[in-house]
Amino acid sequence: TSGATYSTSSHTTGTLDPSLYTKERYADRSILQYQSAAPAGSYNVKLKFAEIYFSSPNQRVFNIIINGNTVAQNFDIVAAAGGPYKALDKSFPVTSSGQIVIQLVPITENPKINAIEITPALSFGCSPNTLSSSSSSTCTISLLQPAPAGGTAVALSSNSSLVTVPSSITIPAGSSSASFSATTGLVTADTSATISASVSGGSASFSLTLLAPTLLTGLNCSPSSLTSGSSSTCTVALNKPAPAGGAVVTLSDNNAALSVPASVTVAAGATSASFSATAATLTADSNATITATLSGSSVTFSLGLVTNTVPTSLSCSPTSLTSGASSTCTVTLSKAAPAGGAVVTLSDNNASLSVPASVTVAAGATSASFSATAATLTADSTATITASLSGSSVTFSLNLLTSTVL
């Protein structure tokens, strides 16, 4: 904007807002220019004039150029309005590619203007402007003037296959607006879509934000196998940060021997949350599947529920020993020993009998043997051998005899 200002206290006729025409901006025999940012589209530019300085025609003459196009030549306000102090509005349709430039180029004296009004030729809005899968927004097209007889057809289009709009809509005669629905399909990733509307003399567009639902992408637990009374830490993962208020993930499992909470909440802005899965007292090996569910999506994880490897029997042969004699004893487990083997602790309650501190059942095996050896015996007695593993134990009693048993 350039130029100087001038005002008057004289009354201007032909307007409901005479005070708007009592002030003007002019350029001293140079180009008076206004520049305004305007998003791409069609606009109506209304230039407001009233001659408040000169009183006769041909005293002030200038050309009007908008965005490089001459829209009025040899414009004389007094001649066009029919005298001084008479309001005169001149409207011009303009297409903007990002800005609107108005130039008043002098021919005689100083070009001037009282006010400028720039309005979209076609306005367009949708509510809500954020949509998720299978949802709709109500969009409204508005014209500057009521539609003529027969109505005004407005062409519609969407730049995204995710948003469906009708190909056109008709604004009824006498009405200046009409509405339609924009409907989404399956939104799998956050994005946007632009709906465009066009009519003879104007166009407009509106951008919709499309939000994918918050879905589950994974469920993992560590450790992946549990014994009686032990717990695993499980974590659910989302495809995007949880919305305000968080995301409540429903949890369940298919085995009464495993306990999980009914749900876990992923905090707003977070993408994961953890919970505990706890095994009860196990009487047999089994599996338990945990299921996490959110917004129609679900993920699963299978935990192994493993009974402890425990000794089930202990036997020795022979069952009676004399001084210095040995018996071969065998401890048997409830199931095959795990990787690394199973170390069974051994003890006895008689100083006259010697057993190793432990015996290892090899990985994959179910039993192992060791020797129990009698010392020099001075009296008949019994000795009880105890084999212990994973909190469980079995026993066997050997007879210790001072004389040879026939």
Side-chain angles (χ1 to χ4, degrees):
T1 303
S2 58
T5 59
Y6 172 77
S7 63
T8 181
S9 59
S10 299
H11 181 74
T12 298
T13 62
T15 177
L16 297 176
D17 187 9
S19 62
L20 187 66
Y21 297 85
T22 61
K23 295 170 287 186
E24 67 180 27
R25 181 172 290 274
Y26 66 91
D28 188 7
R29 293 178 175 82
S30 61
I31 296 175
L32 180 61
Q33 176 171 304
Y34 285 83
Q35 182 171 311
S36 175
S42 299
Y43 294 83
N44 182 71
V45 176
K46 183 181 290 187
L47 307 181
K48 297 176 178 289
F49 300 99
E51 184 54 71
I52 58 175
Y53 187 81
F54 294 111
S55 59
S56 302
N58 299 317
Q59 290 183 288
R60 189 196 308 270
V61 181
F62 53 90
N63 292 338
I64 302 174
I65 300 174
I66 302 179
N67 282 359
N69 299 313
T70 300
V71 295
Q73 288 184 314
N74 300 312
F75 181 61
D76 183 329
I77 301 173
V78 174
Y85 302 106
K86 292 184 177 182
L88 174 65
D89 294 351
K90 296 284 289 184
S91 294
F92 306 98
V94 175
T95 300
S96 170
S97 58
Q99 66 178 4
I100 295 176
V101 180
I102 302 168
Q103 295 174 307
L104 307 181
V105 182
I107 296 175
T108 302
E109 265 293 342
N110 306 325
K112 59 143 285 181
I113 193 165
N114 295 86
I116 300 173
E117 180 182 292
I118 300 175
T119 55
L122 186 70
S123 62
F124 183 14
C126 297
S127 181
N129 59 7
T130 299
L131 298 176
S132 56
S133 294
S134 302
S135 58
S136 295
S137 180
T138 299
C139 302
T140 301
I141 300 288
S142 298
L143 302 175
L144 285 176
Q145 301 293 332
T152 298
V154 181
L156 303 172
S157 64
S158 167
N159 71 342
S160 172
S161 60
L162 297 174
V163 177
T164 301
V165 297
S167 60
S168 65
I169 185 174
T170 298
I171 299 176
S175 178
S176 58
S177 65
S179 298
F180 64 93
S181 291
T183 304
T184 59
L186 177 63
V187 180
T188 58
D190 292 354
T191 186
S192 63
T194 299
I195 302 173
S196 298
S198 61
V199 67
S200 177
S203 64
S205 61
F206 190 86
S207 181
L208 289 172
T209 299
L210 308 182
L211 298 180
T214 305
L215 303 175
L216 292 165
T217 57
L219 171 60
N220 288 287
C221 299
S222 181
S224 59
S225 294
L226 297 178
T227 55
S228 294
S230 62
S231 294
S232 179
T233 298
C234 300
T235 302
V236 291
L238 306 181
N239 65 333
K240 57 190 289 189
V248 180
V249 180
T250 302
L251 304 173
S252 63
D253 71 83
N254 66 346
N255 193 322
L258 185 71
S259 175
V260 297
S263 65
V264 63
T265 299
V266 181
T271 57
S272 65
S274 297
F275 62 93
S276 292
T278 304
T281 299
L282 305 176
T283 58
D285 292 351
S286 64
N287 291 310
T289 299
I290 302 173
T291 300
T293 304
L294 175 67
S295 301
S297 66
S298 63
V299 289
T300 61
F301 189 89
S302 183
L303 280 173
L305 303 182
V306 183
T307 55
N308 290 325
T309 303
V310 297
T312 56
S313 66
L314 174 62
S315 61
C316 298
S317 181
T319 59
S320 297
L321 296 177
T322 57
S323 295
S326 294
S327 178
T328 299
C329 300
T330 300
V331 60
T332 302
L333 304 181
S334 59
K335 58 182 180 179
V343 179
V344 182
T345 302
L346 302 174
S347 63
D348 70 81
N349 66 346
N350 194 319
S352 296
L353 186 70
S354 175
V355 296
S358 65
V359 63
T360 298
V361 180
T366 57
S367 64
S369 296
F370 62 92
S371 292
T373 303
T376 300
L377 304 175
T378 58
D380 292 349
S381 64
T382 60
T384 299
I385 303 170
T386 301
S388 302
L389 176 65
S390 300
S392 183
S393 62
V394 290
T395 61
F396 189 86
S397 291
L398 281 174
N399 295 313
L400 303 183
L401 304 176
T402 56
S403 59
T404 303
V405 178
L406 300 176

